[in-house]
Coordinates of all heavy atoms in Angstrom, one line a residue:
F103 N -136.7 -111.1 96.3 CA -137.1 -110.8 95.0 C -138.3 -111.7 94.7 O -138.3 -112.9 95.0 CB -136.0 -111.0 94.0 CG -136.3 -110.6 92.6 CD1 -136.4 -109.2 92.3 CD2 -136.6 -111.5 91.6 CE1 -136.7 -108.8 91.0 CE2 -136.9 -111.1 90.4 CZ -137.0 -109.8 90.0
V104 N -139.4 -111.1 94.2 CA -140.6 -111.9 93.9 C -140.9 -111.8 92.4 O -140.9 -110.7 91.8 CB -141.8 -111.2 94.7 CG1 -143.1 -112.0 94.4 CG2 -141.5 -111.2 96.2
R105 N -141.2 -113.0 91.9 CA -141.6 -113.1 90.4 C -142.9 -113.8 90.3 O -143.4 -114.3 91.3 CB -140.5 -113.8 89.6 CG -139.2 -113.2 89.6 CD -138.3 -113.8 88.6 NE -138.5 -115.3 88.5 CZ -137.7 -116.1 87.9 NH1 -136.6 -115.7 87.5 NH2 -138.0 -117.4 87.8
N106 N -143.5 -113.7 89.2 CA -144.8 -114.3 88.8 C -145.9 -113.7 89.6 O -147.0 -114.3 89.8 CB -144.7 -115.8 89.1 CG -145.8 -116.6 88.3 OD1 -146.0 -116.2 87.2 ND2 -146.4 -117.6 88.9
L107 N -145.8 -112.4 89.8 CA -146.9 -111.6 90.4 C -148.0 -111.5 89.3 O -147.7 -111.3 88.1 CB -146.5 -110.2 90.8 CG -145.7 -110.0 92.1 CD1 -145.3 -108.6 92.2 CD2 -146.6 -110.4 93.3
N108 N -149.3 -111.5 89.8 CA -150.4 -111.1 88.9 C -150.2 -109.7 88.5 O -149.8 -108.9 89.4 CB -151.7 -111.3 89.7 CG -152.9 -111.1 88.8 OD1 -153.0 -110.1 88.1 ND2 -153.8 -112.1 88.9
F109 N -150.5 -109.3 87.3 CA -150.2 -107.9 86.9 C -151.1 -106.9 87.6 O -150.8 -105.7 87.5 CB -150.4 -107.8 85.3 CG -149.4 -108.6 84.6 CD1 -149.8 -109.5 83.6 CD2 -148.0 -108.6 84.8 CE1 -148.9 -110.3 82.9 CE2 -147.1 -109.3 84.1 CZ -147.5 -110.2 83.1
T110 N -152.2 -107.4 88.2 CA -153.0 -106.5 89.0 C -152.7 -106.4 90.4 O -153.2 -105.5 91.2 CB -154.5 -106.9 88.9 OG1 -154.6 -108.2 89.5 CG2 -155.0 -107.0 87.4
T111 N -151.7 -107.1 90.9 CA -151.3 -107.1 92.3 C -150.6 -105.8 92.6 O -149.8 -105.3 91.9 CB -150.4 -108.3 92.7 OG1 -151.1 -109.5 92.4 CG2 -149.9 -108.2 94.1
R112 N -151.0 -105.1 93.7 CA -150.5 -103.9 94.2 C -149.5 -104.1 95.4 O -149.6 -105.1 96.0 CB -151.6 -102.9 94.5 CG -152.5 -102.6 93.4 CD -151.7 -101.8 92.3 NE -152.6 -101.6 91.1 CZ -152.2 -102.0 89.9 NH1 -151.0 -102.5 89.7 NH2 -153.0 -101.8 88.9
W113 N -148.7 -103.1 95.6 CA -147.7 -103.2 96.7 C -148.3 -103.5 98.0 O -147.8 -104.3 98.8 CB -146.9 -101.9 96.8 CG -147.6 -100.7 97.4 CD1 -148.3 -99.8 96.7 CD2 -147.7 -100.4 98.7 NE1 -148.8 -98.9 97.6 CE2 -148.5 -99.2 98.8 CE3 -147.2 -101.0 99.9 CZ2 -148.8 -98.6 100.0 CZ3 -147.5 -100.4 101.1 CH2 -148.3 -99.2 101.2
K114 N -149.4 -102.9 98.4 CA -150.0 -103.2 99.7 C -150.5 -104.6 99.8 O -150.4 -105.2 100.9 CB -151.2 -102.2 99.9 CG -151.6 -102.2 101.3 CD -152.5 -101.0 101.6 CE -152.8 -100.9 103.1 NZ -153.7 -99.8 103.4
E115 N -151.0 -105.2 98.7 CA -151.5 -106.6 98.8 C -150.3 -107.5 99.0 O -150.4 -108.5 99.7 CB -152.2 -106.9 97.5 CG -153.5 -106.2 97.3 CD -154.0 -106.2 95.8 OE1 -153.2 -106.4 94.9 OE2 -155.2 -106.0 95.7
L116 N -149.2 -107.2 98.3 CA -148.0 -108.1 98.5 C -147.5 -107.9 99.9 O -147.1 -108.9 100.5 CB -146.9 -107.7 97.4 CG -145.6 -108.5 97.5 CD1 -145.9 -110.0 97.4 CD2 -144.7 -108.0 96.4
K117 N -147.4 -106.7 100.4 CA -146.9 -106.5 101.8 C -147.8 -107.3 102.8 O -147.3 -108.0 103.6 CB -147.0 -105.0 102.1 CG -146.7 -104.7 103.5 CD -147.1 -103.2 103.8 CE -147.0 -102.9 105.3 NZ -148.0 -103.5 106.1
E118 N -149.1 -107.2 102.6 CA -150.0 -107.9 103.6 C -149.8 -109.4 103.4 O -149.9 -110.1 104.4 CB -151.4 -107.5 103.3 CG -151.7 -106.1 103.7 CD -153.0 -105.5 103.3 OE1 -153.8 -106.2 102.5 OE2 -153.4 -104.4 103.7
H119 N -149.6 -109.9 102.2 CA -149.4 -111.3 102.0 C -148.1 -111.8 102.7 O -148.2 -112.9 103.4 CB -149.3 -111.6 100.5 CG -149.1 -113.0 100.1 ND1 -150.1 -113.9 100.1 CD2 -148.0 -113.7 99.7 CE1 -149.7 -115.1 99.8 NE2 -148.4 -115.0 99.5
V120 N -147.1 -111.1 102.6 CA -145.8 -111.5 103.2 C -146.0 -111.5 104.7 O -145.6 -112.4 105.4 CB -144.6 -110.6 102.8 CG1 -143.4 -110.8 103.6 CG2 -144.3 -110.8 101.3
E121 N -146.6 -110.4 105.3 CA -146.7 -110.3 106.7 C -147.6 -111.3 107.3 O -147.4 -111.9 108.3 CB -147.1 -108.9 107.1 CG -146.1 -107.8 106.8 CD -146.4 -106.4 107.2 OE1 -147.6 -106.1 107.4 OE2 -145.5 -105.6 107.4
S122 N -148.7 -111.6 106.6 CA -149.7 -112.5 107.2 C -149.3 -114.0 107.0 O -149.6 -114.8 107.8 CB -151.1 -112.3 106.6 OG -151.1 -112.6 105.2
N123 N -148.6 -114.3 105.9 CA -148.3 -115.7 105.6 C -146.9 -116.1 106.2 O -146.7 -117.3 106.4 CB -148.3 -116.0 104.1 CG -149.8 -116.1 103.6 OD1 -150.5 -117.0 103.9 ND2 -150.2 -115.0 102.9
A124 N -146.1 -115.2 106.4 CA -144.7 -115.5 106.9 C -144.5 -114.9 108.3 O -143.5 -115.2 108.9 CB -143.7 -115.0 105.9
G125 N -145.4 -114.1 108.7 CA -145.2 -113.4 110.0 C -144.0 -112.5 110.1 O -143.4 -112.3 111.2
L126 N -143.6 -111.9 109.0 CA -142.4 -111.1 108.9 C -142.9 -109.6 108.7 O -143.9 -109.4 108.0 CB -141.5 -111.5 107.8 CG -141.0 -112.9 107.9 CD1 -140.3 -113.3 106.6 CD2 -140.1 -113.1 109.1
K127 N -142.2 -108.7 109.3 CA -142.5 -107.3 109.1 C -141.7 -106.8 107.8 O -140.6 -107.1 107.6 CB -142.0 -106.4 110.2 CG -142.7 -106.7 111.5 CD -144.2 -106.4 111.4 CE -144.4 -104.9 111.5 NZ -145.9 -104.6 111.4
V128 N -142.5 -106.0 107.0 CA -142.0 -105.5 105.7 C -141.7 -104.0 105.9 O -142.6 -103.3 106.3 CB -143.0 -105.8 104.6 CG1 -142.6 -105.1 103.3 CG2 -143.2 -107.3 104.4
N129 N -140.5 -103.6 105.5 CA -140.2 -102.2 105.4 C -140.6 -101.5 104.2 O -141.0 -100.3 104.2 CB -138.7 -102.0 105.6 CG -138.2 -102.1 107.0 OD1 -139.0 -102.1 108.0 ND2 -136.9 -102.4 107.2
R130 N -140.4 -102.2 103.0 CA -140.6 -101.6 101.7 C -141.0 -102.6 100.7 O -140.5 -103.7 100.7 CB -139.3 -100.8 101.3 CG -139.4 -100.1 100.1 CD -138.0 -99.4 99.9 NE -138.0 -98.6 98.7 CZ -138.3 -97.4 98.6 NH1 -138.5 -96.7 99.8 NH2 -138.2 -96.7 97.5
V131 N -141.8 -102.2 99.8 CA -142.2 -103.0 98.6 C -142.0 -102.2 97.3 O -142.5 -101.1 97.3 CB -143.6 -103.5 98.7 CG1 -144.0 -104.3 97.4 CG2 -143.8 -104.5 99.9
E132 N -141.3 -102.7 96.4 CA -141.2 -102.1 95.1 C -141.7 -103.0 94.0 O -141.2 -104.1 93.9 CB -139.7 -101.8 94.7 CG -139.0 -100.8 95.7 CD -137.6 -100.7 95.3 OE1 -136.8 -101.6 95.6 OE2 -137.2 -99.7 94.7
I133 N -142.7 -102.6 93.3 CA -143.2 -103.4 92.1 C -142.6 -102.8 90.9 O -142.6 -101.5 90.8 CB -144.7 -103.4 92.1 CG1 -145.3 -104.2 93.3 CG2 -145.2 -104.0 90.8 CD1 -146.8 -104.4 93.4
F134 N -142.1 -103.6 90.0 CA -141.5 -103.1 88.8 C -142.5 -103.0 87.7 O -143.3 -103.8 87.5 CB -140.4 -104.1 88.4 CG -139.3 -104.2 89.4 CD1 -139.4 -105.1 90.5 CD2 -138.2 -103.4 89.3 CE1 -138.4 -105.2 91.4 CE2 -137.2 -103.5 90.3 CZ -137.3 -104.4 91.3
Y135 N -142.3 -101.8 86.9 CA -143.2 -101.5 85.9 C -142.5 -101.2 84.6 O -141.3 -100.8 84.6 CB -144.0 -100.2 86.2 CG -145.0 -100.5 87.4 CD1 -144.6 -100.3 88.7 CD2 -146.3 -100.9 87.1 CE1 -145.4 -100.6 89.8 CE2 -147.1 -101.2 88.2 CZ -146.7 -101.0 89.5 OH -147.6 -101.3 90.5
Q136 N -143.2 -101.5 83.5 CA -142.7 -101.2 82.2 C -142.8 -99.7 81.9 O -143.5 -99.0 82.7 CB -143.4 -101.9 81.1 CG -143.3 -103.4 81.2 CD -144.1 -104.2 80.2 OE1 -144.0 -103.8 79.0 NE2 -144.8 -105.2 80.6
K137 N -142.2 -99.2 80.9 CA -142.2 -97.7 80.6 C -143.7 -97.2 80.4 O -144.0 -96.1 80.6 CB -141.4 -97.4 79.4 CG -139.9 -97.5 79.6 CD -139.1 -97.1 78.4 CE -137.6 -97.3 78.7 NZ -136.8 -96.9 77.6
D138 N -144.5 -98.1 79.9 CA -145.9 -97.7 79.6 C -146.8 -97.8 80.9 O -148.0 -97.6 80.8 CB -146.5 -98.6 78.5 CG -146.6 -100.1 78.8 OD1 -146.3 -100.5 79.9 OD2 -147.0 -100.8 77.9
G139 N -146.2 -98.2 82.0 CA -146.9 -98.2 83.3 C -147.5 -99.6 83.6 O -148.1 -99.8 84.7
R140 N -147.4 -100.6 82.8 CA -147.9 -101.9 83.1 C -146.9 -102.7 84.0 O -145.7 -102.5 83.8 CB -148.1 -102.7 81.8 CG -149.3 -102.2 81.0 CD -149.6 -103.0 79.8 NE -148.4 -103.0 78.9 CZ -148.1 -103.9 78.0 NH1 -149.0 -104.8 77.7 NH2 -147.0 -103.8 77.2
S141 N -147.5 -103.5 84.9 CA -146.6 -104.2 85.8 C -145.8 -105.3 85.0 O -146.2 -105.8 84.0 CB -147.5 -105.0 86.8 OG -146.7 -105.9 87.5
R142 N -144.6 -105.5 85.5 CA -143.7 -106.5 84.9 C -143.9 -107.9 85.6 O -143.3 -108.8 85.3 CB -142.3 -106.1 84.9 CG -142.0 -104.9 84.1 CD -140.6 -104.6 84.0 NE -139.8 -105.6 83.4 CZ -138.5 -105.8 83.5 NH1 -137.8 -105.0 84.2 NH2 -137.9 -106.8 82.9
G143 N -144.7 -107.9 86.7 CA -145.0 -109.1 87.4 C -143.8 -109.5 88.4 O -143.7 -110.6 88.7
M144 N -143.0 -108.5 88.7 CA -141.9 -108.7 89.6 C -141.9 -107.6 90.7 O -142.4 -106.5 90.5 CB -140.6 -108.6 88.8 CG -140.4 -109.6 87.8 SD -138.8 -109.4 87.0 CE -139.1 -108.0 85.9
A145 N -141.3 -107.9 91.8 CA -141.2 -107.0 92.9 C -140.0 -107.3 93.8 O -139.5 -108.4 93.8 CB -142.4 -107.0 93.8
R146 N -139.6 -106.3 94.5 CA -138.5 -106.4 95.5 C -139.2 -106.1 96.9 O -139.9 -105.1 97.0 CB -137.4 -105.4 95.3 CG -136.2 -105.6 96.3 CD -135.1 -104.6 96.0 NE -134.5 -105.0 94.7 CZ -134.1 -104.1 93.8 NH1 -134.4 -102.8 93.9 NH2 -133.6 -104.5 92.7
V147 N -139.0 -107.0 97.9 CA -139.5 -106.8 99.2 C -138.4 -106.7 100.2 O -137.5 -107.5 100.2 CB -140.5 -108.0 99.6 CG1 -141.0 -107.8 101.0 CG2 -141.6 -108.1 98.6
E148 N -138.4 -105.6 100.9 CA -137.3 -105.4 101.9 C -137.9 -105.7 103.3 O -138.9 -105.1 103.7 CB -136.9 -103.9 101.9 CG -135.8 -103.6 103.0 CD -135.5 -102.1 103.0 OE1 -135.2 -101.6 101.9 OE2 -135.6 -101.5 104.0
L149 N -137.3 -106.7 103.9 CA -137.8 -107.1 105.3 C -137.2 -106.3 106.4 O -136.0 -105.8 106.2 CB -137.5 -108.6 105.5 CG -138.1 -109.6 104.5 CD1 -137.6 -111.0 104.8 CD2 -139.6 -109.5 104.6
Q150 N -137.9 -106.1 107.5 CA -137.4 -105.4 108.6 C -136.1 -106.1 109.2 O -135.1 -105.5 109.5 CB -138.4 -105.3 109.7 CG -138.0 -104.4 110.8 CD -139.2 -104.2 111.8 OE1 -140.0 -105.1 112.0 NE2 -139.3 -103.0 112.3
D151 N -136.2 -107.4 109.2 CA -135.0 -108.2 109.6 C -134.5 -109.0 108.5 O -135.0 -110.1 108.1 CB -135.5 -109.2 110.7 CG -134.4 -110.0 111.3 OD1 -133.2 -110.0 110.8 OD2 -134.7 -110.7 112.3
E152 N -133.4 -108.5 107.9 CA -132.8 -109.1 106.7 C -132.3 -110.5 106.9 O -132.1 -111.3 106.0 CB -131.7 -108.2 106.1 CG -132.2 -106.9 105.5 CD -133.1 -107.2 104.3 OE1 -132.8 -108.0 103.4 OE2 -134.2 -106.5 104.2
S153 N -132.1 -110.9 108.2 CA -131.6 -112.2 108.4 C -132.7 -113.3 108.2 O -132.4 -114.5 108.2 CB -131.1 -112.3 109.9 OG -132.1 -112.2 110.8
M154 N -133.9 -112.8 108.0 CA -135.1 -113.7 107.8 C -135.3 -114.0 106.3 O -136.3 -114.6 106.0 CB -136.3 -113.1 108.4 CG -136.2 -112.9 109.9 SD -135.9 -114.4 110.9 CE -137.4 -115.3 110.6
V155 N -134.5 -113.5 105.4 CA -134.7 -113.7 104.0 C -134.9 -115.2 103.6 O -135.8 -115.6 102.9 CB -133.6 -113.1 103.2 CG1 -133.7 -113.5 101.7 CG2 -133.6 -111.6 103.3
Q156 N -134.0 -116.1 104.1 CA -134.1 -117.5 103.7 C -135.4 -118.1 104.3 O -136.0 -118.9 103.6 CB -132.9 -118.3 104.2 CG -131.6 -118.0 103.4 CD -131.8 -118.3 101.9 OE1 -132.5 -119.2 101.5 NE2 -131.2 -117.4 101.1
D157 N -135.8 -117.7 105.5 CA -137.1 -118.1 106.0 C -138.2 -117.7 105.2 O -139.2 -118.4 104.9 CB -137.3 -117.6 107.5 CG -136.3 -118.2 108.5 OD1 -135.8 -119.3 108.2 OD2 -136.1 -117.6 109.5
A158 N -138.2 -116.4 104.7 CA -139.2 -115.9 103.8 C -139.3 -116.7 102.5 O -140.4 -117.1 102.1 CB -139.0 -114.5 103.5
V159 N -138.2 -117.1 102.0 CA -138.1 -117.9 100.7 C -138.8 -119.2 101.0 O -139.7 -119.6 100.2 CB -136.7 -118.1 100.2 CG1 -136.7 -119.1 99.1 CG2 -136.1 -116.8 99.8
G160 N -138.5 -119.9 102.1 CA -139.1 -121.1 102.4 C -140.6 -121.1 102.7 O -141.3 -122.0 102.3
M161 N -141.0 -120.0 103.3 CA -142.4 -119.9 103.7 C -143.3 -119.4 102.6 O -144.5 -119.7 102.5 CB -142.6 -119.0 104.9 CG -142.1 -119.6 106.2 SD -142.4 -118.5 107.6 CE -140.9 -117.5 107.6
L162 N -142.8 -118.6 101.6 CA -143.6 -118.0 100.6 C -143.5 -118.5 99.2 O -144.4 -118.2 98.4 CB -143.3 -116.5 100.6 CG -143.7 -115.7 101.9 CD1 -143.1 -114.3 101.9 CD2 -145.2 -115.7 102.2
N163 N -142.4 -119.2 98.9 CA -142.2 -119.7 97.6 C -143.3 -120.6 97.2 O -143.7 -121.5 98.0 CB -140.9 -120.4 97.4 CG -140.5 -120.6 96.0 OD1 -140.6 -119.7 95.2 ND2 -140.1 -121.8 95.7
D164 N -144.0 -120.5 96.1 CA -145.1 -121.3 95.5 C -146.4 -121.0 96.2 O -147.4 -121.6 95.9 CB -144.8 -122.8 95.6 CG -143.7 -123.2 94.5 OD1 -143.7 -122.5 93.5 OD2 -143.0 -124.1 94.8
K165 N -146.5 -120.0 97.2 CA -147.8 -119.6 97.8 C -148.6 -118.8 96.8 O -148.0 -118.0 96.0 CB -147.6 -118.8 99.0 CG -147.0 -119.6 100.2 CD -148.0 -120.3 100.9 CE -147.4 -120.9 102.2 NZ -148.2 -121.8 102.9
L166 N -149.9 -119.0 96.7 CA -150.7 -118.3 95.8 C -151.0 -116.9 96.3 O -151.3 -116.7 97.5 CB -152.0 -119.0 95.6 CG -152.0 -120.3 94.8 CD1 -153.4 -120.9 94.7 CD2 -151.4 -120.1 93.4
L167 N -150.9 -115.9 95.4 CA -151.4 -114.6 95.6 C -152.1 -114.1 94.4 O -151.5 -114.2 93.3 CB -150.2 -113.7 95.9 CG -150.6 -112.2 96.1 CD1 -151.6 -111.9 97.2 CD2 -149.3 -111.3 96.3
D168 N -153.3 -113.7 94.5 CA -154.1 -113.3 93.3 C -154.1 -114.4 92.2 O -154.0 -114.0 91.0 CB -153.7 -112.0 92.8 CG -153.9 -110.8 93.8 OD1 -154.8 -110.9 94.6 OD2 -153.1 -109.8 93.7
G169 N -154.2 -115.6 92.6 CA -154.3 -116.7 91.7 C -153.0 -117.2 91.0 O -153.1 -118.1 90.1
R170 N -151.9 -116.7 91.5 CA -150.6 -117.1 90.9 C -149.6 -117.6 91.9 O -149.5 -116.9 93.0 CB -150.0 -116.0 90.1 CG -150.9 -115.5 89.0 CD -150.3 -114.6 88.1 NE -149.2 -115.3 87.4 CZ -148.8 -114.9 86.2 NH1 -149.3 -113.9 85.5 NH2 -147.8 -115.6 85.6
P171 N -148.9 -118.7 91.7 CA -147.9 -119.1 92.7 C -146.7 -118.2 92.6 O -146.1 -118.0 91.5 CB -147.6 -120.5 92.2 CG -147.9 -120.6 90.7 CD -149.0 -119.6 90.5
L172 N -146.3 -117.6 93.7 CA -145.2 -116.7 93.7 C -143.8 -117.5 93.6 O -143.7 -118.6 94.1 CB -145.2 -115.9 95.0 CG -146.4 -115.0 95.2 CD1 -146.3 -114.2 96.5 CD2 -146.6 -114.0 94.0
V173 N -142.9 -116.9 93.0 CA -141.5 -117.4 92.9 C -140.7 -116.4 93.8 O -140.5 -115.2 93.4 CB -141.0 -117.4 91.5 CG1 -139.5 -117.9 91.5 CG2 -141.8 -118.4 90.6
I174 N -140.2 -116.9 94.9 CA -139.4 -116.0 95.8 C -138.0 -116.4 95.8 O -137.7 -117.6 96.0 CB -140.0 -116.2 97.3 CG1 -141.5 -116.1 97.3 CG2 -139.3 -115.2 98.2 CD1 -142.0 -114.7 97.0
R175 N -137.1 -115.5 95.7 CA -135.7 -115.7 95.7 C -135.0 -114.5 96.4 O -135.5 -113.4 96.5 CB -135.1 -115.7 94.2 CG -135.7 -116.8 93.4 CD -135.1 -118.1 93.7 NE -135.6 -119.2 92.9 CZ -136.6 -120.0 93.2 NH1 -137.2 -119.9 94.3 NH2 -137.0 -120.9 92.3
P176 N -133.8 -114.8 97.0 CA -133.0 -113.7 97.6 C -132.8 -112.6 96.5 O -132.6 -113.0 95.3 CB -131.7 -114.3 98.0 CG -132.1 -115.7 98.3 CD -133.1 -116.1 97.2
D177 N -132.8 -111.4 96.8 CA -132.7 -110.3 95.8 C -131.4 -110.3 95.1 O -130.3 -110.2 95.7 CB -132.9 -108.9 96.5 CG -132.9 -107.8 95.5 OD1 -133.0 -108.0 94.3 OD2 -132.9 -106.7 96.0
Q178 N -131.4 -110.5 93.8 CA -130.2 -110.4 93.0 C -130.4 -109.5 91.8 O -129.5 -109.4 90.9 CB -129.9 -111.8 92.5 CG -129.6 -112.8 93.6 CD -129.3 -114.2 93.1 OE1 -129.7 -114.6 92.0 NE2 -128.7 -115.0 93.9
L179 N -131.5 -108.7 91.7 CA -131.7 -107.8 90.6 C -130.8 -106.6 90.7 O -130.8 -105.9 91.7 CB -133.2 -107.4 90.6 CG -133.6 -106.6 89.4 CD1 -133.5 -107.4 88.1 CD2 -135.0 -106.1 89.6
Q180 N -130.1 -106.3 89.7 CA -129.1 -105.2 89.6 C -129.4 -104.2 88.5 O -128.7 -103.3 88.3 CB -127.7 -105.8 89.4 CG -127.3 -106.8 90.4 CD -126.7 -106.1 91.7 OE1 -126.1 -105.1 91.6 NE2 -126.9 -106.7 92.8
S181 N -130.5 -104.4 87.8 CA -130.8 -103.6 86.6 C -131.5 -102.2 87.1 O -132.0 -102.1 88.2 CB -131.7 -104.3 85.6 OG -133.0 -104.5 86.2
K182 N -131.4 -101.3 86.2 CA -132.1 -100.0 86.4 C -133.5 -100.1 85.8 O -133.8 -99.7 84.7 CB -131.3 -98.9 85.8 CG -130.0 -98.6 86.4 CD -129.3 -97.4 85.7 CE -128.0 -97.2 86.4 NZ -127.3 -96.0 85.8
T183 N -134.4 -100.7 86.6 CA -135.8 -100.8 86.1 C -136.7 -99.8 86.8 O -136.5 -99.5 87.9 CB -136.3 -102.2 86.5 OG1 -135.4 -103.2 86.1 CG2 -137.7 -102.5 86.0
R184 N -137.6 -99.2 86.0 CA -138.5 -98.3 86.6 C -139.4 -98.9 87.6 O -140.0 -99.9 87.4 CB -139.4 -97.7 85.5 CG -140.3 -96.6 86.0 CD -141.1 -96.1 84.8 NE -142.2 -95.3 85.4 CZ -143.3 -95.0 84.7 NH1 -143.4 -95.3 83.4 NH2 -144.2 -94.3 85.2
T185 N -139.4 -98.3 88.8 CA -140.2 -98.9 89.9 C -141.2 -97.8 90.4 O -140.9 -96.6 90.3 CB -139.4 -99.4 91.0 OG1 -138.7 -98.3 91.6 CG2 -138.4 -100.4 90.6
R186 N -142.2 -98.3 91.1 CA -143.0 -97.4 91.9 C -143.0 -98.1 93.3 O -143.3 -99.2 93.4 CB -144.4 -97.4 91.4 CG -145.4 -96.6 92.2 CD -146.7 -96.5 91.6 NE -147.0 -97.6 90.7 CZ -148.2 -98.0 90.3 NH1 -149.2 -97.3 90.6 NH2 -148.3 -99.0 89.4
S187 N -142.5 -97.4 94.3 CA -142.3 -98.0 95.6 C -143.1 -97.2 96.6 O -143.6 -96.1 96.4 CB -140.9 -98.0 96.0 OG -140.4 -96.7 96.1
A188 N -143.3 -97.9 97.7 CA -144.1 -97.2 98.8 C -143.5 -97.7 100.1 O -143.2 -98.8 100.3 CB -145.5 -97.6 98.7
E189 N -143.3 -96.7 101.0 CA -142.9 -97.1 102.4 C -144.1 -97.6 103.0 O -145.2 -97.3 102.6 CB -142.4 -95.8 103.1 CG -141.1 -95.2 102.5 CD -139.9 -96.1 102.6 OE1 -139.9 -96.9 103.5 OE2 -139.0 -96.0 101.8
V190 N -143.9 -98.4 104.1 CA -145.0 -99.0 104.8 C -146.1 -97.9 105.2 O -147.3 -98.1 105.2 CB -144.5 -99.8 106.0 CG1 -145.7 -100.2 106.9 CG2 -143.7 -101.0 105.5
E191 N -145.6 -96.8 105.7 CA -146.5 -95.7 106.2 C -147.3 -95.0 105.1 O -148.3 -94.4 105.3 CB -145.7 -94.7 107.0 CG -145.0 -95.2 108.2 CD -143.7 -95.8 107.8 OE1 -143.0 -95.5 106.8 OE2 -143.2 -96.8 108.6
D192 N -146.8 -95.1 103.9 CA -147.5 -94.4 102.8 C -148.7 -95.2 102.3 O -148.6 -96.3 101.9 CB -146.5 -94.3 101.6 CG -147.0 -93.4 100.5 OD1 -148.1 -92.8 100.6 OD2 -146.3 -93.4 99.4
E193 N -149.8 -94.5 102.4 CA -151.1 -95.2 102.0 C -151.5 -94.9 100.6 O -152.4 -95.5 100.0 CB -152.2 -94.7 102.9 CG -152.1 -95.2 104.3 CD -152.1 -96.7 104.4 OE1 -152.9 -97.4 103.7 OE2 -151.3 -97.3 105.2
S194 N -150.9 -93.9 99.9 CA -151.2 -93.5 98.6 C -150.1 -93.7 97.7 O -149.0 -93.1 97.9 CB -151.8 -92.1 98.5 OG -150.8 -91.2 98.9
V195 N -150.2 -94.4 96.6 CA -149.2 -94.6 95.6 C -149.8 -94.2 94.3 O -150.8 -94.7 93.8 CB -148.7 -96.1 95.5 CG1 -147.7 -96.2 94.4 CG2 -148.2 -96.5 96.9
P196 N -149.3 -93.1 93.7 CA -149.8 -92.6 92.4 C -149.6 -93.7 91.3 O -148.7 -94.4 91.3 CB -149.0 -91.4 92.1 CG -147.8 -91.5 92.9 CD -148.1 -92.4 94.1
T197 N -150.6 -93.7 90.4 CA -150.5 -94.6 89.3 C -149.7 -93.9 88.1 O -149.8 -92.7 88.0 CB -151.9 -95.0 88.8 OG1 -152.6 -93.9 88.5 CG2 -152.6 -95.9 89.8
P198 N -149.0 -94.6 87.3 CA -148.2 -94.0 86.3 C -149.1 -93.5 85.2 O -150.2 -94.0 85.0 CB -147.3 -95.1 85.7 CG -147.9 -96.4 86.3 CD -148.8 -96.1 87.4
A199 N -148.7 -92.4 84.5 CA -149.5 -91.8 83.4 C -149.4 -92.6 82.2 O -148.6 -93.4 81.9 CB -148.9 -90.4 83.2

């Protein structure tokens, strides 16, 4: 679970940040949005190897992305929040209306 994202950060930028700074493969990124389509500054990142979660926390917590230090924690979000997600292979993610 990632908090303190810049509101302009997109899923692909976060994916590339995790892969390049932690050397981990990402399966999926979900950025959370408000009903009006604005980012909530939070995301869920699914790693290819879930056993690497603690390593990812140690390597990425407080690292800057788009001018903001990320807060990385193991995923504990259980709410029904509107998300826009993208599989790694998906190059186009529609923007909310």
